[in-house]
Amino acid sequence: MSHTLLHNVLIPFLKGAITVVALGLAAGILTWIERRLLGRLQIRKGPNRVGPQGFFQWIADTVKLVFKEDIVPSRAEKALHLLGPLLLFVPAVVVLGLVPWGPELTLFGVTTPLHAAADLNVGLLLILAVSTIGVYGIILSGWASNSKYPLLGGLRSAAQLISYEVPMGLAVVSAILMSGSLSMVEIIEAQRKAGVWFVFPGLIAFFLYFVSGVAETNRTPFDLPEAESELVGGFHTEYSGFRWAVFFMSEYGNMISVSAVATTLFFGGWLRPFPNVAWLSFLDVIPAFFWFAGKVFLFLLTYIWFRATFPRYRFDQLMALGWKTLIPISLGNLALVAIAVLWGAAGLKVLGAVLVLLVAAGFLAVWIRPARPRSSTTMASPNVEVRA
Amino acid sequence: MSESTPGTVAQFPPLAGPPLLGLHEMELNFGPQHPSTHGVLRLVLKVDGERIVSARPDVGYLHRGTEKLFETETFPMVIPHTDRMDYVAAATNNHAYCLVVEKLLGVEVPKRAQYIRVLLDEMQRISSHVLWLATAAIDLGAITPFFYTFRDREVILDLFEEYCGARLTLNCMRIGGLPVDLTPGWLEKVRAFTEPFEKCIDEYEDLLTENRIWKERTVGIAVLDEKRCIEWGVTGPVLRAAGKAWDIRRALPYEVYPELEFDIPVGKNADTYDRYLVRVAEIRQSRRIVLQCLDWLEKNPGTEIRGKVPRVIKPPAGEAYACVEAPKGELGFHLVASGGNKPYRLHVRPPSFINLQALPEMAQGHLVGDLVAVIGTIDIVLGEVDR
């Protein structure tokens, strides 16, 4: 087999196929994890009948969805109605293809970087660009359904994307400044050189990125485009069967993508904690890929935890949060990071230490705050008084 | 549906808020199968973008002709029908109906029966309020309180089942008293639930009271001040959240309520958040009442649970009105008797129906996302609206 055929055709094809299949499987398994974890948080059991601990529930659900009748409303725009779910799904896969899952991998004597696609020198820019396309899928599905609730869902999604793409972009710029590169692999290598993950000096940027990411994946508390109690199903109200499943898979795919990018930018990708501290080198026993997957998994658990905790923002409050809170903060943070970068390596360390101390102090303040007194006669809030 | 439909609501002056553009109004049918209408309520909305220009409730999908049905049943046979009005507070409905017949009949209810009735009423209030909390929270996207409240509601329903054999449509009171005495050990079980229940209420509050998003979604939403509440006839927690300490249990006392210690929580801002606080505080007060009833019943074991009631109940011709403080507000029955063994006319004054009338005013000027909060904050049960 010629070298060109192997490296330019066969391996990329294999890696692409593995990514698509892995994403599908991960999205499915994630639905099971979400339901089990939510069950724990909400004092109930979750699926526990199909397979061990209900593990095959997601397979059963998939089979059910695939065999359900696929209904297209009679007055819908058929072509776009068909296209919508795919427009949402493809970007999720592409983004995942651009994230490095680990350093080079040697299998059967062939060495290849652990990427689905390539390590582009503008990788991060392409990720931002591609992930934005997903919203077309939502808007088009909402509009093509020719129904009012989906239309409102699509509009909400568009407004939401515009509000959160800006702080997300600005947050990402912090990582670019700190690493001096747009290439995903270089950003990870820069964190190895700096000795710490960028999350410490980039704590604010990471927070902004993750909040924006939650908003862009339409997850609680920002799940407005599909808010069930308001818009029935939002943009996917008129979808059923397999196409609905594609929406579902895309949402989970996007969650994985956002988590993977956050891991790469701020949590050192496949690096172990404190990559230049020698006595921690025993941690290298765990292969690089598992460090990466573990971090992504923690982010996904955070997503699920959010869902159990928060009510849903209102549409205008969500945009106010984006424009009036997150964008000013992200601009200020950008200036802060830029100054630290100008200062050099020491600047990043000082900034990181200060931010970590501030957060620790905040947690301590919450921890030692006296609990609100409650009894049967004193009311929970000064708003409410008691008359005998 | 055109504007000429009879029953169109009057135009109210727009509430404070961004001006309405009025360029592209869209008519949106909210319900009757919408997940957040708490039953088969249909709202015809005019929306400008997502802002509500007008909301018109269209009720009647569940109409069962209950009031007409009452006239075809003998007095004791009416009780199961009252269960089906506010089906999450069946005991309260039974109670209000029994009171009006007893009033006309001039029957004295034994003390023990009165205490048990009040005990059942207050347990019913707890279960109704926690169900409200569950659904109102889920309307605003918070799913976890739903499971916490249902955990506790299940226990109450189990206790009801042990007492009267039913969990939802209790049919647990009779004219002049109660159908059966308490089963042995039942009071201990109620106490075992009620005493630690305080901690469960704290859990609900931990999830919501200081939750930033919960406050943002509820503070200042659907304000209906005391004056407007009284003009609409709105009662219950919605009125009390507006600052008026009007509670039938204190204002027009019935049964043993004058002997019990409890407070009436009132709010200040008349908004959705205050209604939430008032209802949570009422759950705590109901728990207090339940404990007092338990104390009395344990100290006074006896068998007298039914007054002297004739075999065939035939109240003298005349009319009477009796009302109780249902979880949702004033629940009244107006009975007109002609001297026969069936009601000549029995009109119900259900709190949900009256409170629902204020919805157009409360919803106007808010966003579609707020509408579900507005529906939730009134605490309607459609069985009571379309009776």
Side-chain angles (χ1 to χ4, degrees):
Chain A
M1 194 183 294
S2 82
H3 185 267
T4 322
L5 189 68
L6 180 70
H7 278 273
N8 291 358
V9 181
L10 197 60
I11 290 179
F13 177 79
L14 261 179
K15 287 200 284 194
I18 289 171
T19 308
V20 175
V21 173
L23 182 69
L25 285 181
I29 294 169
L30 197 52
T31 62
W32 171 76
I33 292 171
E34 168 151 24
R35 290 169 68 180
R36 291 292 290 181
L37 185 60
L38 278 181
R40 281 300 160 103
L41 293 169
Q42 298 172 338
I43 47 168
R44 60 195 168 113
K45 288 194 161 57
N48 63 351
R49 285 291 179 271
V50 193
Q53 298 292 306
F55 182 72
F56 297 144
Q57 186 66 48
W58 61 279
I59 301 176
D61 285 338
T62 314
V63 170
K64 179 198 80 175
L65 280 172
V66 169
F67 283 102
K68 265 176 106 167
E69 191 187 357
D70 185 12
I71 299 164
V72 183
S74 59
R75 296 210 191 152
E77 197 73 37
K78 282 219 172 57
L80 290 178
H81 197 263
L82 177 78
L83 192 63
L86 295 177
L87 270 179
L88 193 58
F89 185 64
V90 170
V93 181
V94 172
V95 169
L96 216 59
L98 292 167
V99 178
W101 292 78
E104 295 196 325
L105 176 75
T106 308
L107 264 186
F108 310 116
V110 180
T111 303
T112 178
L114 211 54
H115 263 95
D119 175 36
L120 297 176
N121 57 355
V122 289
L124 193 49
L125 218 53
L126 189 62
I127 284 175
L128 281 181
V130 170
S131 65
T132 318
I133 292 174
V135 77
Y136 278 96
I138 294 181
I139 297 173
L140 282 180
S141 335
W143 180 79
S145 299
N146 195 8
S147 173
K148 285 170 186 173
Y149 286 116
L151 182 67
L152 284 174
L155 286 175
R156 282 178 170 198
S157 181
Q160 192 166 327
L161 180 95
I162 294 167
S163 309
Y164 284 85
E165 194 71 13
V166 180
M168 186 185 238
L170 289 172
V172 163
V173 172
S174 304
I176 299 171
L177 279 182
M178 288 185 278
S179 63
S181 170
L182 282 166
S183 144
M184 299 296 267
V185 172
E186 301 253 314
I187 290 172
I188 294 175
E189 287 303 326
Q191 295 181 61
R192 186 202 296 281
K193 271 179 217 141
V196 284
W197 298 344
F198 285 161
V199 66
F200 299 112
L203 197 61
I204 305 171
F206 162 68
F207 172 77
L208 293 167
Y209 178 83
F210 196 61
V211 171
S212 309
V214 174
E216 294 216 353
T217 43
N218 302 331
R219 290 280 299 186
T220 317
F222 307 110
D223 57 341
L224 288 155
E226 50 196 292
E228 200 217 344
S229 58
E230 294 167 24
L231 301 183
V232 189
F235 64 91
H236 59 55
T237 305
E238 303 291 348
Y239 283 83
S240 57
F242 186 64
R243 277 182 238 196
W244 186 86
V246 173
F247 274 128
F248 208 66
M249 235 158 71
S250 315
E251 181 174 316
Y252 284 88
N254 277 322
M255 278 161 65
I256 297 172
S257 301
V258 167
S259 305
V261 173
T263 303
T264 309
L265 296 187
F266 299 105
F267 279 78
W270 66 74
L271 299 178
R272 65 175 164 82
F274 302 102
N276 61 353
V277 178
W279 61 269
L280 279 171
S281 61
F282 65 90
L283 289 172
D284 287 331
V285 176
I286 302 170
F289 172 74
F290 288 99
W291 277 115
F292 181 84
K295 292 171 195 173
V296 170
F297 187 63
L298 282 181
F299 284 124
L300 294 173
L301 294 186
T302 315
Y303 265 105
I304 297 167
W305 170 40
F306 280 0
R307 188 169 167 193
T309 308
F310 291 125
R312 182 183 301 117
Y313 265 112
R314 202 174 59 208
F315 182 49
D316 58 321
Q317 290 167 344
L318 167 106
M319 289 204 287
L321 182 75
W323 290 106
K324 293 182 188 163
T325 312
L326 295 187
I327 291 179
I329 293 178
S330 59
L331 284 170
N333 173 59
L334 199 57
L336 209 65
V337 171
I339 292 166
V341 168
L342 272 182
W343 189 359
L348 285 184
K349 278 180 183 146
V350 170
L351 180 61
V354 169
L355 286 175
V356 169
L357 281 178
L358 280 178
V359 169
F363 272 114
L364 198 67
V366 172
W367 185 263
I368 59 174
R369 187 181 57 176
R372 203 173 42 246
R374 292 193 185 109
S375 77
S376 56
T377 46
T378 51
M379 287 304 114
S381 150
N383 273 4
V384 174
E385 59 180 274
V386 177
R387 291 185 199 173
Chain B
M1 177 146 313
S2 72
E3 259 308 300
S4 61
T5 316
T8 315
V9 288
Q11 285 298 307
F12 301 105
L15 298 176
L20 308 175
L21 293 174
L23 296 175
H24 304 287
E25 284 179 12
M26 178 167 82
E27 202 165 80
L28 186 66
N29 279 308
F30 201 86
Q33 316 99 322
H34 192 280
S36 302
T37 49
H38 296 226
V40 280
L41 171 69
R42 174 174 174 240
L43 291 171
V44 183
L45 301 183
K46 277 231 165 67
V47 288
D48 181 1
E50 288 222 20
R51 198 162 285 279
I52 297 163
V53 179
S54 76
R56 185 169 62 82
D58 182 12
V59 299
Y61 287 89
L62 198 67
H63 190 56
R64 288 175 294 205
T66 309
E67 284 185 7
K68 188 70 194 163
L69 216 52
F70 288 156
E71 296 165 17
T72 66
E73 304 282 9
T74 58
F75 282 97
M77 291 293 283
V78 167
I79 298 175
H81 289 291
T82 62
D83 283 334
R84 282 147 181 85
M85 289 190 308
D86 181 356
Y87 39 75
V88 298
T92 324
N93 292 309
N94 297 162
H95 198 169
Y97 170 71
C98 290
L99 278 182
V100 75
V101 181
E102 285 154 11
K103 202 169 177 179
L104 208 56
L105 215 53
V107 173
E108 179 99 8
V109 180
K111 201 83 169 184
R112 183 175 164 80
Q114 291 191 19
Y115 267 103
I116 296 174
R117 279 182 174 189
V118 169
L119 174 70
L120 291 169
D121 257 18
E122 295 304 323
M123 282 168 66
Q124 191 78 81
R125 190 185 317 279
I126 293 173
S127 80
S128 174
H129 275 354
V130 296
L131 182 71
W132 165 82
L133 183 61
T135 51
I138 233 171
D139 283 347
L140 296 184
I143 40 179
T144 304
F146 186 85
F147 296 98
Y148 281 60
T149 51
F150 264 61
R151 169 195 62 193
D152 306 327
R153 186 169 179 265
E154 276 307 298
V155 181
I156 297 180
L157 295 192
D158 286 343
L159 290 167
F160 280 145
E161 189 178 9
E162 193 176 331
Y163 171 62
C164 63
R167 293 164 65 79
L168 200 68
T169 51
L170 300 178
N171 191 13
C172 64
M173 293 180 199
R174 293 290 180 273
I175 295 158
L178 296 160
V180 286
D181 205 347
L182 304 176
T183 42
W186 191 74
L187 288 177
E188 287 81 71
K189 282 182 194 166
V190 176
R191 190 178 282 283
F193 163 74
T194 315
E195 274 179 353
F197 180 56
E198 187 87 38
K199 282 204 185 65
C200 303
I201 310 173
D202 290 346
E203 272 182 12
Y204 314 152
E205 289 216 56
D206 286 339
L207 278 168
L208 295 174
T209 303
E210 292 299 323
N211 186 316
R212 191 193 146 97
I213 303 178
W214 177 255
K215 280 179 101 164
E216 280 188 34
R217 289 300 306 273
T218 52
V219 172
I221 301 299
V223 176
L224 197 71
D225 63 18
E226 190 186 322
K227 182 167 165 285
R228 297 299 283 157
C229 277
I230 291 169
E231 280 169 0
W232 281 112
V234 168
T235 50
V238 181
L239 175 65
R240 287 192 285 275
K244 177 86 182 160
W246 175 262
D247 189 312
I248 308 287
R249 292 174 294 176
R250 280 279 183 256
L252 307 166
Y254 53 97
E255 310 279 49
V256 289
Y257 278 112
E259 296 169 26
L260 297 168
E261 272 179 31
F262 64 96
D263 301 316
I264 303 169
V266 289
K268 288 198 177 94
N269 300 329
D271 58 5
T272 303
Y273 185 64
D274 276 16
R275 282 168 212 143
Y276 156 74
L277 291 176
V278 163
R279 286 193 179 102
V280 172
E282 280 183 22
I283 298 175
R284 292 183 195 275
Q285 296 301 323
S286 288
R287 176 182 167 275
R288 256 175 99 189
I289 300 176
V290 168
L291 288 175
Q292 290 171 55
C293 292
L294 288 174
D295 289 342
W296 192 93
L297 288 167
E298 279 165 2
K299 271 187 216 127
N300 299 276
T303 49
E304 192 66 17
I305 52 153
R306 204 155 178 199
K308 290 200 190 317
V309 183
R311 190 168 289 266
V312 179
I313 293 174
K314 272 190 186 174
E319 53 185 298
Y321 177 80
C323 56
V324 298
E325 184 67 33
K328 295 160 183 69
E330 175 181 346
L331 171 67
F333 276 81
H334 185 189
L335 172 66
V336 181
S338 59
N341 64 348
K342 293 172 184 171
Y344 178 75
R345 175 80 173 93
L346 184 59
H347 174 70
V348 193
R349 186 252 185 240
S352 292
F353 182 65
I354 311 268
N355 295 359
L356 181 64
Q357 296 179 92
L359 183 132
E361 182 170 339
M362 287 156 97
Q364 199 181 43
H366 285 309
L367 294 167
V368 172
D370 288 326
L371 183 67
V372 294
V374 177
I375 299 171
T377 193
I378 305 175
D379 190 12
I380 46 169
V381 159
L382 268 292
E384 205 177 43
V385 174
D386 304 334
R387 59 214 182 275

